[in-house]
Amino acid sequence: MIATRPKEQPGPGPTPVALLRALDLTVGRRIHGLLPGEFRAIDSGGGLELAQVRPYQPGDDVRRIDWNVTARTTVPHVRVHVPERALTTWLVLDVSPSMTFGTAMRRKADVAEGVAIAVGHLATQHGNRLGIVTFGGSADRRIQPIVGRDGLLATLLVTQDDATISSSSHPPADIEAAQRDGLSNALRFVAAAARRGGLVVVVSDFRGPRDWLRPLAAVAMRHQVLAVEIDDPREGDLPDVGELTLVDAETGRAVRVDTASARLRDRFRTAAADERRSLTRELRRVGVGQVMLSTADDWLRALAGQLRILGRAS
């Protein structure tokens, strides 16, 4: 039985199977390896298929000694296996209050939910593993990588748990610090937990201070990283509706503005565009691929199209 969605939380919308299949995350060097045979683990010896037996060398794991060959030759030999062809993907999902904003087809949180489910479908195929980290909420999640359908199920449970996303525009003071440092802490967790190179997908609106840039750069040095930025049209353009009270969803701070002023609207539009362009420059500087989605568009089709473009440019 499918739960009915309220109008204020419409969800990601339809996700056609044909379009999900078109989401080929193997494009380019940045997001290669989601299909079997196209990704190989960084080190050898982790798989089950035997590659060779060779003489023991200092530093080899003694647990890999082949005692039969060693007995026949009287020289210690070790077994070397073909590396595993499994990819570990980490989904880093923003569930902060700013993600509940939405003035078009759906909220930013709804688009983020759809992206998470799409990534979950692709990242858990063929024995690949998916780990999930949420940030910005009152009860953030840290789920270690899970194989196959169980990984997808964990994604569905996280994205559909309304408790992980705060609907309050005035978060309590003790939560504000966690939301402010949320992405930084989430990235540090991934950097410590993910020992082998893999794929890290960060889904967020990337609003607020950018103290997460250094941890992001550290993750990007060892993993392929994709930043999925979710935006709403009203975040870059003020409507002419007279006096408004604008409230920061992350901190609860409010400011009164007169949107009838054409000069104010132009300044707001210019500042918003500059802020987004600077985000793109910063992501490019640390070697992170970027996909930009809007609450006003068909997010799934846009995601598939931009990933193809990103792959050709890699």
Side-chain angles (χ1 to χ4, degrees):
M1 183 176 180
I2 300 175
T4 303
R5 295 269 190 172
K7 290 183 179 180
E8 62 275 13
Q9 298 180 10
T15 52
V17 174
L19 201 48
L20 280 174
R21 289 173 179 166
L23 269 176
D24 184 5
L25 294 187
T26 62
V27 292
R29 292 189 301 273
R30 295 187 184 279
I31 45 179
H32 71 290
L34 282 183
L35 297 181
E38 295 185 0
F39 178 82
R40 179 160 293 197
I42 293 175
D43 60 343
S44 62
L48 299 177
E49 181 183 348
L50 181 64
Q52 63 173 320
V53 177
R54 59 165 174 76
Y56 175 87
Q57 298 174 359
D60 285 340
D61 190 341
V62 295
R63 292 173 297 181
R64 295 178 182 170
I65 292 179
D66 188 315
W67 295 107
N68 292 330
V69 177
T70 298
R72 288 199 307 269
T73 63
T74 69
V75 176
H77 280 68
V78 295
R79 298 167 65 89
V80 180
H81 293 86
V82 176
E84 292 182 359
R85 295 175 181 270
L87 174 72
T88 297
T89 298
W90 285 89
L91 173 66
V92 183
L93 183 63
D94 188 348
V95 296
S96 64
S98 68
M99 296 296 288
T100 62
F101 184 73
T103 63
M105 295 173 61
R106 49 187 44 89
R107 306 173 306 159
K108 290 187 288 183
D110 297 313
V111 177
E113 177 185 341
V115 173
I117 292 172
V119 170
H121 271 289
L122 295 167
T124 56
Q125 295 176 2
H126 308 288
N128 293 319
R129 298 180 293 267
L130 176 68
I132 306 170
V133 178
T134 68
F135 67 93
S138 57
D140 290 332
R141 306 293 189 89
R142 303 286 187 267
I143 301 176
Q144 292 290 341
I146 305 174
V147 177
R149 290 177 59 87
D150 289 340
L152 178 57
L153 179 60
T155 308
L156 295 173
L157 290 175
V158 166
T159 56
Q160 293 179 8
D161 185 357
D162 291 337
T164 61
I165 299 181
S166 173
S167 60
S168 172
S169 60
H170 299 277
D174 58 338
I175 297 178
E176 287 185 23
Q179 291 169 344
R180 183 172 58 251
D181 302 327
L183 181 51
S184 296
N185 291 336
L187 291 170
R188 291 190 186 97
F189 174 84
V190 171
R195 298 191 181 103
R196 294 182 177 181
L199 174 66
V200 178
V201 181
V202 184
V203 184
S204 175
D205 57 4
F206 297 99
R207 298 284 167 177
R210 295 178 189 167
D211 52 350
W212 43 262
L213 276 169
R214 180 169 292 183
L216 180 65
V219 171
M221 290 180 65
R222 295 180 56 191
H223 307 273
Q224 306 295 337
V225 181
L226 178 66
V228 180
E229 176 194 352
I230 302 176
D231 197 15
D232 185 271
R234 286 300 178 213
E235 291 179 311
D237 191 17
L238 278 178
D240 181 2
V241 292
E243 289 194 355
L244 278 181
T245 299
L246 302 180
V247 180
D248 187 330
E250 302 287 341
T251 65
R253 289 192 294 268
V255 60
R256 189 77 175 173
V257 298
D258 182 7
T259 61
S261 169
R263 183 168 177 267
L264 173 65
R265 294 198 306 273
D266 288 341
R267 288 175 58 193
F268 182 90
R269 190 180 303 112
T270 300
D274 290 344
E275 195 266 344
R276 293 294 93 181
R277 280 193 291 267
S278 70
L279 172 65
T280 297
R281 287 195 300 268
E282 294 285 7
L283 293 174
R284 187 180 297 121
R285 181 176 61 83
V286 297
V288 171
Q290 182 186 19
V291 168
M292 292 173 281
L293 304 180
S294 172
T295 60
D297 298 330
D298 183 341
W299 65 267
L300 184 56
R301 196 172 299 277
L303 178 62
Q306 290 188 51
L307 284 174
R308 290 195 187 94
I309 295 172
L310 181 63
R312 288 196 294 268
S314 300

